[in-house]
Amino acid sequence: MPLIGYARVSTEDQTPLPQSQALKSAGCVEIHEEQASGGNRARPVLARVLERIGKGDTLVVVRIDRLARSLSHLLEVIERLEAKGAFFRSLTDPIDTSSPQGKFTLQVLGAAAEFERALIRERTKAGLASARSKGRIGGNPGLRARDPAALRKVRLARQDGYMDRLNETAQDWVPHVRRLRPDMAWEDVLRIINAPLPHERQWTQSRLLRAVNAYVRDGFLDETVLGRAGRRDTDDRLPAIVAGIKGANPEITLQEICNRLEKMRERTPRGRTSWQPSSVKMLLERAERLGLLD
């Protein structure tokens, strides 16, 4: 199984060389290095690695904290890998999802995380009940008084929380939006984004547009992505969709594109529901002639 290494350092003063050497010694066929904070989930190098990793590949890190600083982020990344049929391994921690022992360790970590969340919920409920029994009303006094400063602080906190949640999923949708808009209609972009995602992580068009507007407002996306999509000939629509899938993951195989199109419920040029690699190859050649592929 191909081993894909990922090395991360937090500052420019640090060097990823020791990590890269350890990953090379472990047999990694390619190694990706990134300089970014561990608390930042929207890391471009990690996003590309997770997008391009394929079935049977294994993502390898020297230590868990090089990949994630929180248990929730670690479990989220591993879930994405499992959805692609890929695995995860940490060289210095007892986690290797390709082995029964590693899967058991992961299950224990997941159970511990859920137990911690349950304890927090119970402590919160008990604290609120105790306060009510003593006649204290919960909440912010400034909010109860409709103080403008308090209202503004809450509004900004909610906005920051929303952006944090968006950053956790940015690798799912930002590359597609940046590449496909405004050349492709939102409904087609949405279907390309949702095709590889499990049902519980899929987007609606209104939710996607809200996220894109937020990223444009904060400068993470160029405002041109919100432009109106130009009219495209019906015959050019399928080549554009196939080009979009291929462009987001240049290493994707013809069969994987077939699977993606079937999951999108896209019909073949002859109106069939089952796709063949030869049909995809023909559409890719046409997309290249139309200038839709880099």
Side-chain angles (χ1 to χ4, degrees), residues 135-156:
R136 294 201 299 268
I137 301 175
N140 188 317
L143 294 180
R144 292 200 299 271
R146 307 300 294 175
D147 178 65
L151 292 172
R152 180 175 181 274
K153 185 179 293 185
V154 170
R155 185 170 62 252
L156 291 175

Side-chain angles (χ1 to χ4, degrees), residues 110-126:
E114 180 57 34
F115 179 63
E116 182 181 12
R117 288 192 292 269
L119 286 178
I120 292 173
R121 287 195 296 268
E122 290 303 317
R123 285 197 294 266
T124 301
K125 290 178 182 178

Side-chain angles (χ1 to χ4, degrees), residues 53-59 78 81-88 97:
I53 202 164
K55 184 177 181 180
D57 293 346
T58 299
L59 179 64
I78 293 177
L81 293 172
E82 289 183 337
K84 288 192 166 191
F87 306 100
F88 171 73
T97 61

Side-chain angles (χ1 to χ4, degrees), residues 58-76:
T58 299
L59 179 64
V60 184
V61 296
V62 174
R63 298 191 311 273
I64 288 177
D65 66 352
R66 297 302 87 197
L67 177 68
R69 284 291 183 86
S70 68
L71 182 55
S72 63
H73 188 204
L74 174 65
L75 295 174
E76 177 187 321

Side-chain angles (χ1 to χ4, degrees), residues 83-105:
K84 288 192 166 191
F87 306 100
F88 171 73
R89 180 189 303 173
S90 172
L91 299 181
T92 57
D93 302 290
I95 295 184
D96 181 351
T97 61
S98 65
S99 69
Q101 296 88 346
K103 288 183 178 179
F104 175 74
T105 302

Side-chain angles (χ1 to χ4, degrees), residues 131-192:
R132 282 193 294 269
S133 68
K134 296 175 182 178
R136 294 201 299 268
I137 301 175
N140 188 317
L143 294 180
R144 292 200 299 271
R146 307 300 294 175
D147 178 65
L151 292 172
R152 180 175 181 274
K153 185 179 293 185
V154 170
R155 185 170 62 252
L156 291 175
R158 287 176 176 172
Q159 181 177 327
D160 289 343
Y162 176 63
M163 294 303 294
D164 287 341
R165 293 193 298 275
L166 284 186
N167 291 339
E168 294 175 5
T169 62
Q171 66 271 15
D172 291 340
W173 57 276
V174 170
H176 295 291
V177 171
R178 185 175 285 130
R179 178 179 179 81
L180 301 177
R181 288 291 304 166
D183 296 327
M184 186 177 290
W186 281 113
E187 50 265 33
D188 289 329
V189 174
L190 180 69
R191 293 166 70 196
I192 291 175

